[in-house]
Amino acid sequence: MLRFMPDPVVAATLGILGTPTPEEQRISPDVARLLGRAPRDFADWAQRNAAAFR
């Protein structure tokens, strides 16, 4: 986040969001059920769609 936002904004954002619990970090099995495929991470999505933002 610090790469794109000033330190005070990052600190305030993380202060509001807090630290995710293990349950909040878990990917729900409903994702695969709804998508009909295994979930992919954001980095994969960004790499596949980068051309749309150039």
Side-chain angles (χ1 to χ4, degrees), residues 3-52:
R3 185 172 172 194
F4 302 103
M5 293 185 248
D7 186 40
V9 175
V10 171
T13 300
L14 293 177
I16 291 167
L17 296 176
T19 303
T21 65
E23 180 65 21
E24 291 170 329
Q25 294 178 19
R26 181 183 70 84
I27 298 172
S28 168
D30 293 333
V31 173
R33 184 178 58 79
L34 291 168
L35 294 176
R37 61 168 174 75
R40 295 188 287 254
D41 63 22
F42 176 76
D44 178 61
W45 176 88
Q47 185 176 18
R48 288 184 296 109
N49 292 279

